[in-house]
Amino acid sequence: MALPQPALIADPMLPRSFTVTERVAETEDTFTIDLEPSDSGPDLSFAPGQFMMMYAYGVGEVPISISGDPSRPDTLTHTIRAVGAVTNALSELGVGDEIGIRGPYGVGWPMGRAEGGDVVVVAGGIGLAPVRPAIRQMLADRDEYRSVSIVYGSRTPDDLLYQDELHEWKARFDLNVQVTVDRDAPSWTGDVGVVTPLINRLDFDPGHTIAIVCGPEIMMRVVAKDLRSRGVPSSDIYVSLERNMKCAVGFCGHCQFGSAFLCKDGPVVPYATVADRLAMEQL
Ligand SMILES: Cc1cc2nc3c(=O)[nH]c(=O)nc-3n(C[C@H](O)[C@H](O)[C@H](O)COP(=O)(O)OP(=O)(O)OC[C@H]3O[C@@H](n4cnc5c(N)ncnc54)[C@H](O)[C@@H]3O)c2cc1C
Ligand code: FES
């Protein structure tokens, strides 16, 4: 299936103006914004796992994954952690403010390959944002997949994203949802610790499983090792890699990872193709 391509084919570097229609504070430093085109141009369809370049006017541009619903191309949703100049500028946006957007870019999660088999989603911290469109798509087409399991870990209970949606997912009988936190809190009655012991609770057929893994690189390495020890081939484990990006269209080389340019060959890649490089301490 052809991936959605940047809406402005004429000049893929030219941002299009979008207006903020909703802003939700997820945690102390992380927020979700909904955007709609400020012009009367086309909606933006996207594949789960793709990202956009978001331009805070006068400050700069950053790559941010799309965290919304692929069946709603009229609304673009992003979940952003404020860590520096541009993301802090984006965090100050309110309803009615405008920003520049270009994309969607990159290769997303292997939704087609996942059909007909079991799916294990493992996310850490803000890594739940890039996998949420994949989860939404699987829930919309639930009959196309066998078991679907979600393992999610965050630093503290207050750092958990999409808390209402997590409760909804947990309440479903056709999803196995496991959540853990690194550090306990008085109100927390769930699991404490890393995500890997929770993976061992999951029931899946390793020869017919696609794993979707997103989070800090150390977490992705440990999770991939664990899944491989359960019999899932590296070629069926997919990870999303974050690297410095500038052009996002394969021109500048900032995102080079081995022979791949992650802006167009990724950010989602089979673990088998990056395992050796991810094992190196410094790249
Ligand atoms: C394909 C892709 C998808 C991404 N998706 C998302 C997303 O959905 N949501 C999101 O919040 N971010 C996402 N990011 C990361 C985001 O692009 C960076 O956080 C952003 O570029 C930082 O820019 P800045 O100008 O705000 O910070 P800078 O001024 O560039 O950095 C300020 C400080 O923050 C540190 N820093 C930079 N990035 C991070 C980070 N990711 N985590 C912790 N510290 C960091 C830097 O080392 C520096 O010390 C994605 C990155 C890529 C490549
Ligand atoms: S960001 Fe320029 S080549 Fe990938």
Side-chain angles (χ1 to χ4, degrees):
M1 190 187 77
L3 283 174
Q5 293 299 310
L8 287 168
I9 303 294
D11 185 350
M13 299 298 290
L14 192 64
R16 180 177 168 196
S17 192
F18 274 64
T19 305
V20 177
T21 55
E22 192 170 349
R23 185 191 190 283
V24 174
E26 300 283 353
T27 71
E28 205 168 68
D29 60 2
T30 303
F31 58 97
T32 296
I33 47 175
D34 286 349
L35 301 151
E36 287 177 14
S38 309
D39 56 31
S40 55
D43 293 340
L44 284 185
S45 58
F46 69 95
Q50 287 194 298
F51 69 95
M52 308 294 292
M53 293 300 286
M54 303 186 75
Y55 177 33
Y57 292 129
V59 184
E61 199 178 34
V62 288
I64 300 288
S65 300
I66 305 167
S67 63
D69 195 331
S71 70
R72 294 276 319 274
D74 52 319
T75 303
L76 192 57
T77 302
H78 290 284
T79 301
I80 304 165
R81 176 179 291 153
V83 295
V86 179
T87 47
N88 272 307
L90 294 173
S91 77
E92 281 162 22
L93 295 172
V95 171
D97 289 338
E98 294 198 351
I99 59 167
I101 293 284
R102 57 188 180 94
Y105 296 119
V107 177
W109 302 109
M111 305 311 295
R113 279 203 72 204
E115 282 182 13
D118 297 326
V119 183
V120 172
V121 178
V122 186
I126 195 154
L128 189 61
V131 303
R132 185 165 73 154
I135 296 170
R136 292 260 184 105
Q137 185 162 316
M138 286 189 282
L139 293 181
D141 297 328
R142 186 62 193 84
D143 292 345
E144 300 295 329
Y145 307 88
R146 291 195 315 204
S147 72
V148 178
S149 307
I150 302 168
V151 177
Y152 176 41
S154 78
R155 284 172 300 188
T156 71
D158 286 344
D159 291 313
L160 291 167
L161 298 182
Y162 317 133
Q163 299 205 9
D164 292 346
E165 204 166 356
L166 273 178
H167 284 298
E168 284 170 28
W169 293 344
K170 277 183 164 181
R172 290 180 67 125
F173 294 108
D174 56 0
L175 275 185
N176 182 353
V177 180
Q178 305 281 331
V179 179
T180 184
V181 296
D182 293 339
R183 288 196 303 279
D184 212 347
S187 58
W188 181 250
T189 54
D191 285 291
V192 178
V194 293
V195 290
T196 35
L198 307 192
I199 297 173
N200 295 331
R201 292 181 192 164
L202 307 180
D203 190 19
F204 55 83
D205 173 356
H208 298 93
T209 294
I210 291 293
I212 290 175
V213 184
C214 192
E217 277 184 18
I218 177 76
M219 183 215 93
M220 294 196 287
R221 286 209 303 267
V222 172
V223 167
K225 189 174 170 210
D226 200 70
L227 288 167
R228 287 173 61 200
S229 74
R230 292 275 309 264
V232 181
S234 302
S235 53
D236 292 342
I237 301 169
Y238 288 78
V239 295
S240 183
L241 296 183
E242 286 190 7
R243 285 295 180 278
N244 193 5
M245 289 186 185
K246 293 291 176 200
C247 72
V249 291
F251 290 154
C252 73
H254 270 84
C255 64
Q256 190 162 9
F257 189 78
S259 60
F261 282 180
L262 287 177
C263 64
K264 64 180 182 59
D265 304 319
V268 173
V269 288
Y271 188 69
T273 64
V274 295
D276 290 350
R277 282 180 186 280
L278 279 184
M280 295 178 195
E281 285 296 316
Q282 295 289 333
L283 276 174

